[in-house]
Amino acid sequence: MRSLRVRLFATLIVATGALWLIAAVWIYVGARQEVEHVLDTRLQEAARMVSSLVAAGSLPPKPEAGGPPGLIPEAAGYERQLSCQIWSLDDRLVARSSGAPDEKLSDGGAGFSERVVNGEPWRVYAVQDEAKGIRVLVGDRLGLRERLVTDLIKGLLWPAAFILPLLGVLIWASLGRGLRPLDRITRELSGRDAEDMSSVDAGAAPSEIRPLAAALNGLFGKVERARRHEREVTAFAAHELRTPLAGLKTQAQIAVAAQDPAVRDNALRQVVRAVDRTSRLVTQLLALARLDAGPSNGAVEAVPLGSLIDEVAELCRAAAPDVPVMVDPEIRSMVLAAPRESLMLLLKNLTENALQHSPVGGVVTWRRTAGEDAIDIVDEGLGASEAELPQLTQRFFRGAGSSGAGTGLGLAIAAAAAANCRARIELMNRADRPGLSAQVHFEAGVMSASRQAGMAA
Amino acid sequence: MRVLVVEDDPLLLDGLKVGLGLAGVTVDVVSTCADAEAALAANAFDAVVLDRMLPDGSGLDVLKRLRGSGDRTPILLLTALDDTTDRVDGLDAGADDYLGKPFDLDELAARIRSVARRGVGRAAGTLRWRDVTLDPAAMSAIRDGVALSLSRREFSVLAALMERPGAIKSRSDLEDRLYGWQEEVESNAVEVHVHHLRVKLGREAIETVRGLGYRMRDGE
């Protein structure tokens, strides 16, 4: 049974019905005992009463031997239920009540006995009067007793038979009413288009449904925030891609239109630059998308830092051929436990950033940060204003002093890659001279000295 | 025609300067909101090409501040954000036109001419004075059905004077129209251009108002 309504309904109806049945059985058993007791007492009383009447001589006249039995006058109400016989001790029927059978109701002595007379079971009480020489038998049909109890139970069950369906209708309707807010929310949600992330109105919903509505609203909020973030990034990406494309097209149109060969050549050179920039931007956007896709970017492996930095420096050489990348011998021997691709992106983008901001004749240096599980790269550029420092790792953020040639993504990629390598980036101005210092702090256990440290040194 | 281009991308900026220059526009370029506001405060431009996303803020804010201070310089928003809502926001903030990147250089030049002539209350694409017709789009001048051969600078001076025949243009007005900031202005450049124009159009065409400047001679 998948439906809550049907399940609740069935449970309630079955429980109510069962309760009623148990009550009926209980009452049946109890009533039966009670009826037995009461009727037995009545038999006893009736027998004693008749016996005392006979003893007092009120009835019947002493029958002659062999004469027909006298009739005992009936007390109103006893006619149907009780039968009375008076027998002489020598087994003659002295008298009987009008409804009583002729056959002897009991053979036994005094007290209660049961016997089948004329095919009907009887319960009989006998009183023996030795002085008068008679035995008074008063009995009633067991069938009557049974009917009495049955009627009682029927009286109990009949209303139940009427009330149970009524109860069913009531339960069904009230369940429907209780679940209506759920229906309303369902209808509202199914009628929505995919863009609509507004809150579900819990309204007067019962307290069981409110948490669901609250949870849904919480989820909507999260999805909406994620989507807004995505839209913003997409809008930025569109801007960042369209601008170099616009530059490209403009320069190409100039090259087509220009009469002056110098102007045309310059435009063509700009076209080449624009293509380079655009392709670098696309590469970086893809790198960022990969990093965004999840932290499962390759398995963690032991990467020797020295050779990786050399590789990175070689890759970045084209960006600034005149600026050397120095590496502190102390970190050459370090080994990092990190996904190689992410680590590469981290170091490459930090190195590129440092090279881009270095003046001609400057030096970029990778160092071990003293006293920390960290390495840093310093350049000899202008650094950044304190206000800009926290914004540098935002996507597409370019500092006021930027050359305009950067994509504004490098440090954002470095930050995302750092998170993949269980590291974080801290950017600060150099204390000893103008320039930016980018520190990479690794979590405990990522950075370790190589076993071959001695050999490498 | 002198136009201020506010754009932070160096390649596009260079392209706009050279490309619009080919279309006969004198271009001044700045890359930030702050520089744009300083330039607009100090000089009169026939139009402004404004990028929306700039390193130190939004071009839209520059636009709003400018319109808030009563500046009526025609402004064309040039931006990569070209959803309908972005366009609507831009136009409602006071922009005269909106062009999404990437764009066609010729279309941009045409739109600049369009907002610039609307800015001086003119609807026709060509300028007329007596029997001389100037077509800024084609940079051609026709007199009495015969094409006149004018240099780029001569054309610019004539166009400036013909925009409102009868109105006086001072020498420095004309120099501003002809030269961007980076260009060296020779002291008598305007006189030389006016002289050449008088040779081609006749001595009577351009009147010197002593101490004030030049204007196209009134009447027929």
Side-chain angles (χ1 to χ4, degrees):
Chain A
M1 254 186 290
R2 305 313 289 268
S3 159
L4 192 61
R5 191 179 188 181
V6 170
R7 198 189 304 182
L8 272 172
F9 176 74
T11 310
L12 278 169
I13 287 297
V14 167
T16 313
L19 213 64
W20 222 299
L21 263 175
I22 290 168
V25 169
W26 187 281
I27 290 169
Y28 175 77
V29 171
R32 213 187 142 124
Q33 278 175 1
E34 201 61 28
V35 163
E36 215 108 289
H37 179 69
V38 168
L39 292 184
D40 280 358
T41 311
R42 194 174 66 161
L43 281 184
Q44 247 172 339
E45 282 173 0
R48 284 194 188 119
M49 194 170 70
V50 172
S51 165
S52 66
L53 286 173
V54 172
S58 310
L59 64 117
K62 178 118 178 130
E64 319 87 64
L71 276 178
I72 302 168
E74 288 285 336
Y78 280 80
E79 182 182 13
R80 276 290 149 85
Q81 296 183 14
L82 291 185
S83 297
C84 184
Q85 291 176 332
I86 302 173
W87 291 79
S88 64
L89 286 177
D90 53 0
D91 262 355
R92 275 186 305 110
L93 182 60
V94 177
R96 64 175 176 91
S97 61
S98 63
D102 292 335
E103 200 177 327
K104 196 174 184 184
L105 284 172
S106 171
D107 285 334
F112 287 106
S113 61
E114 281 178 25
R115 184 176 186 190
V116 177
V117 177
N118 288 345
E120 275 183 298
W122 285 76
R123 186 163 173 82
V124 181
Y125 187 76
V127 175
Q128 207 152 311
D129 189 341
E130 301 290 347
K132 282 269 174 186
I134 53 160
R135 215 150 53 114
V136 176
L137 304 177
V138 178
D140 60 3
R141 295 176 187 84
L142 282 177
L144 273 174
R145 294 185 169 205
E146 202 56 45
R147 206 187 317 152
L148 203 63
V149 178
T150 314
D151 283 350
L152 187 73
I153 296 302
K154 271 189 193 158
L156 201 65
L157 287 180
W158 267 115
F162 282 111
I163 288 173
L164 213 57
L166 195 68
L167 197 68
V169 171
L170 268 175
I171 290 172
W172 187 255
S174 116
L175 279 175
R177 201 182 156 79
L179 293 173
R180 198 175 304 152
L182 211 56
D183 287 346
R184 185 173 54 74
I185 290 173
T186 309
R187 261 199 315 280
E188 197 207 322
L189 287 181
S190 58
R192 277 186 182 200
D193 61 32
E195 292 298 311
D196 187 358
M197 287 287 158
S198 60
S199 302
V200 171
D201 176 24
S207 56
E208 287 81 4
I209 294 174
R210 280 175 184 278
L212 177 68
L216 271 177
N217 289 340
L219 178 65
F220 286 157
K222 269 186 249 173
V223 171
E224 179 63 18
R225 274 193 295 282
R227 275 189 1 181
R228 200 179 312 135
H229 173 74
E230 204 168 289
R231 260 204 300 275
E232 278 166 13
V233 170
T234 314
F236 268 118
H239 176 258
E240 296 297 319
L241 270 173
R242 280 160 182 254
T243 301
L245 282 179
L248 191 56
K249 181 164 179 178
T250 306
Q251 297 287 359
Q253 285 191 308
I254 292 169
V256 170
Q259 309 285 324
D260 184 347
V263 171
R264 191 171 57 232
D265 288 353
N266 189 53
L268 287 174
R269 269 194 297 279
Q270 299 282 40
V271 166
V272 174
R273 278 182 59 198
V275 170
D276 285 348
R277 258 195 66 191
T278 312
S279 60
R280 195 166 81 241
L281 178 58
V282 169
T283 310
Q284 292 208 317
L285 279 173
L286 287 176
L288 204 53
R290 267 204 305 279
L291 287 170
D292 275 351
S296 56
N297 246 310
V300 173
E301 53 184 300
V303 185
L305 193 50
S307 61
L308 187 66
I309 289 186
D310 287 342
E311 200 180 324
V312 164
E314 192 56 44
L315 279 172
C316 299
R317 182 140 303 156
D322 307 327
V323 182
V325 178
M326 313 291 278
V327 184
D328 181 353
E330 197 189 342
I331 66 170
R332 286 207 163 275
S333 57
M334 312 290 318
V335 172
L336 295 176
R340 191 185 163 83
E341 196 194 345
S342 294
L343 196 58
M344 178 93 178
L345 278 173
L346 168 60
L347 299 181
K348 179 165 169 274
N349 280 284
L350 286 180
T351 309
E352 263 178 1
N353 183 67
L355 288 173
Q356 273 164 10
H357 293 90
S358 282
V360 177
V363 177
V364 164
T365 313
W366 274 106
R367 309 182 304 191
R368 171 79 197 265
T369 311
E372 309 238 15
D373 249 7
I375 55 175
D376 61 65
I377 181 169
V378 290
D379 62 48
E380 297 181 350
L382 297 170
S385 74
E386 291 298 322
E388 273 180 4
L389 279 176
Q391 293 175 279
L392 291 180
T393 51
Q394 284 175 14
R395 289 169 191 199
F396 301 116
F397 179 84
R398 290 197 200 90
S402 103
S403 59
T407 58
L409 282 177
L411 290 177
I413 292 175
N420 262 357
C421 300
R422 294 207 289 146
R424 65 184 169 80
I425 293 180
E426 201 177 329
L427 300 170
M428 61 194 77
N429 283 307
R430 289 178 72 167
D432 52 341
R433 53 159 296 144
L436 193 75
S437 162
Q439 295 185 349
V440 187
H441 293 265
F442 293 99
E443 281 176 28
V446 177
M447 195 164 132
S448 59
S450 163
R451 264 179 250 113
Q452 298 125 347
M455 280 195 277
Chain B
M1 186 158 46
R2 186 168 176 192
V3 170
L4 179 69
V5 174
V6 189
E7 165 64 59
D8 61 327
D9 183 85
L11 276 169
L12 182 55
L13 200 59
D14 174 82
L16 287 175
K17 192 169 168 61
V18 176
L20 291 177
L22 290 177
V25 178
T26 305
V27 183
D28 284 317
V29 294
V30 289
S31 301
T32 61
C33 294
D35 289 351
E37 287 182 29
L40 281 162
N43 306 79
F45 292 95
D46 295 295
V48 177
V49 177
L50 183 61
D51 187 21
R52 253 183 94 151
M53 285 160 123
L54 292 165
D56 59 341
S58 166
L60 222 51
D61 294 335
V62 176
L63 178 58
K64 284 175 184 160
R65 277 198 292 274
L66 211 60
R67 293 300 187 232
S69 68
D71 195 308
R72 298 181 55 180
T73 310
I75 290 180
L76 186 146
L77 276 178
L78 187 64
T79 168
L81 299 175
D82 66 345
D83 283 349
T84 310
T85 47
D86 291 322
R87 288 168 191 264
V88 170
D89 286 351
L91 292 172
D92 281 345
D96 298 85
D97 203 354
Y98 203 107
L99 198 56
K101 294 176 185 174
F103 51 86
D104 189 279
L105 193 54
D106 295 333
E107 183 182 356
L108 176 65
R111 283 176 186 265
I112 289 173
R113 283 193 295 271
S114 158
V115 296
R117 69 171 176 259
R118 289 282 176 188
V120 295
R122 190 162 56 79
T126 54
L127 296 164
R128 265 176 192 285
W129 176 80
R130 294 191 185 169
D131 54 353
V132 180
T133 304
L134 234 52
D135 182 356
M139 287 183 63
S140 66
I142 295 169
R143 184 187 193 184
D144 211 6
V146 183
L148 287 169
S149 159
L150 299 179
S151 77
R152 194 166 73 81
R153 295 245 152 95
E154 286 162 10
F155 184 89
S156 291
V157 170
L158 186 57
L161 292 171
M162 276 173 61
E163 252 165 27
R164 289 170 71 198
I168 300 168
K169 293 270 186 216
S170 73
R171 204 180 82 172
S172 68
D173 280 349
L174 292 173
E175 279 175 355
D176 277 350
R177 296 285 293 267
L178 291 183
Y179 300 98
W181 301 321
Q182 287 90 351
E183 290 171 283
E184 196 73 30
V185 188
E186 294 154 49
S187 60
N188 63 343
V190 172
E191 279 94 333
V192 173
H193 295 315
V194 170
H195 172 73
H196 288 153
L197 284 171
R198 281 185 174 143
V199 170
K200 289 171 186 172
L201 296 171
R203 285 205 58 76
E204 300 297 302
I206 299 170
E207 183 184 3
T208 305
V209 185
R210 195 161 300 276
L212 291 176
Y214 305 94
R215 68 176 168 201
M216 301 307 289
R217 194 174 291 280
D218 239 350
E220 292 302 310

